[in-house]
Amino acid sequence: MILNRVAVDLGERSYEVRIGTGLIGRAGAEIAPLLRRKRVVVVTDETVATAHLPALTAALTAEGIAVSALALPPGEGTKGWVNLARCTEWLLEEKVERRDVVLALGGGVIGDLVGFSAAILRRGVRFVQLPTTLLAQVDSSVGGKTGINTAQGKNLVGAFHQPSLVLADIGVLDTLPDRDLLSGYGEVVKYGLLGDADFFDWLEQHGPALRAGDAAARLHAVTRSVEMKAGIVSRDETEEGERALLNLGHTFCHALEKATGYSDRLLHGEGVAIGCALAFELSARIGLCSQEDPSRVRAHLRAMGMKVDLADIPGDLPGAEALIALMGQDKKVIDGRLRFILARGIGEAFVAEDVPGDMVQKVLADALAGR
Ligand SMILES: NC(=O)c1ccc[n+]([C@@H]2O[C@H](COP(=O)([O-])OP(=O)(O)OC[C@H]3O[C@@H](n4cnc5c(N)ncnc54)[C@H](O)[C@@H]3O)[C@@H](O)[C@H]2O)c1
């Protein structure tokens, strides 16, 4: 058994992220100390339920913990009002009380939705994240951002609600499709790029082994990513400053996700990877870092078999000005100055308040021309 522990220090809302193998099989023992009565409710999605709910249920019942479970449909479409209502009303029907604990077993969709439901149920019940995608293990399960999508956009309704515990069992990644694994890897690379050049070096060497299923490589990558996120969240829980660095690549990503209709054409982590490559390109053009840095970022993403260029996104994309408008930045701003996360080199990201709009437009136009 291997187990790494990372603390998220947030005063009385502090919790631990436990990362290792066999954690689902030990979930009963891990969770029991949190329980005031021997009963939990689990919310998951149907795909994860098939692969991992039996093992979780067995582990809980082995400790004498009664379990009931709800499996929602898989996919981003689940993260909305309809399933928020369904989940919350089911928790009420299950007579979940304020002293109880709700378990969220799944990827970022389930973690965000169930975390939000726990935040509003009886004005807040405790919940435990059992993240089952790489993205959820390194990013969405840690930090307490919960919420849903609405017709107006993604993650526009939600709450900060920290989990009481996160159990990241890297063994569950074995059943994750390769495309979802690589999408999560986009967020892993982001941590190296934003604040840890040594970690990026390590990823260049060990990324292919991680992709192929090497448990030691996965354990290290998840642990280092969680350490970085936990540190940033502990210092800036509600994104007044440093937490914004976690949005490296995300301004470009959001525009591309909107342009592709949040569809299968582009997964979130794929957009983050392309966005990081564009953010480094923009940084080099402004003269903040050398041209070698964006080349190195792109070479690593390419070596991992990931999407790197706008040409890797199937179907049509709008023009540069339209993409800037989709960033939530008004087209008129093109002549003005935009806020981006840029970098002075690999591992040296910062919030740039004063980015020339015409430079952003040029980077996008060139990237589109390369299609
Ligand atoms: N809260 C945050 O801080 C934060 C951060 C980043 C992303 N997010 C959110 O996370 C969501 C994306 O999360 P995601 O990429 O995990 O997507 P997801 O939850 O939709 O999971 C991707 C797919 O993998 C399947 N799956 C999950 N675990 C599996 C496993 N172990 N084996 C086989 N299949 C498995 C799911 O059923 C789903 O089809 C987005 O809604 C995004 O907004 C939130």
Side-chain angles (χ1 to χ4, degrees), residues 45 47 76 79 107-109 112 132-133 135 140 145 154 172 175:
D45 77 31
T47 307
E76 190 70 36
K79 212 178 102 174
V109 164
D112 282 11
T132 63
T133 62
L135 181 138
S140 62
K145 280 192 183 176
K154 272 195 70 172
V172 302
T175 59

Side-chain angles (χ1 to χ4, degrees), residues 193-315:
L193 294 178
L194 79 85
D196 187 345
D198 289 345
F199 184 44
F200 185 77
D201 288 349
W202 185 91
L203 290 170
E204 285 180 319
Q205 286 177 44
H206 300 278
L210 180 159
R211 181 183 181 189
D214 184 306
R218 288 181 175 186
L219 183 75
H220 178 73
V222 174
T223 304
R224 183 66 198 123
S225 300
V226 169
E227 280 171 357
M228 290 191 68
K229 179 143 189 191
I232 289 172
V233 166
S234 299
R235 292 186 293 270
D236 178 21
E237 184 180 10
T238 52
E239 204 168 312
E240 311 295 324
E242 186 187 357
R243 190 164 177 169
L245 297 182
L246 295 171
N247 294 331
L248 177 63
H250 281 63
T251 308
F252 289 111
C253 171
H254 287 152
L256 295 170
E257 280 185 299
K258 276 190 206 161
T260 50
Y262 301 99
S263 68
D264 252 15
R265 284 173 63 196
L266 186 74
L267 302 180
H268 177 72
E270 294 173 341
V272 170
I274 295 172
C276 284
L278 288 169
F280 270 80
E281 182 60 38
L282 180 57
S283 302
R285 298 257 188 120
I286 295 174
L288 290 164
C289 65
S290 79
Q291 187 58 45
E292 277 161 33
D293 289 333
S295 302
R296 201 174 148 199
V297 174
R298 292 163 45 81
H300 178 53
L301 298 176
R302 195 56 84 201
M304 289 297 291
M306 296 174 72
K307 289 186 168 63
V308 185
D309 296 312
L310 297 186
D312 297 325
I313 303 171

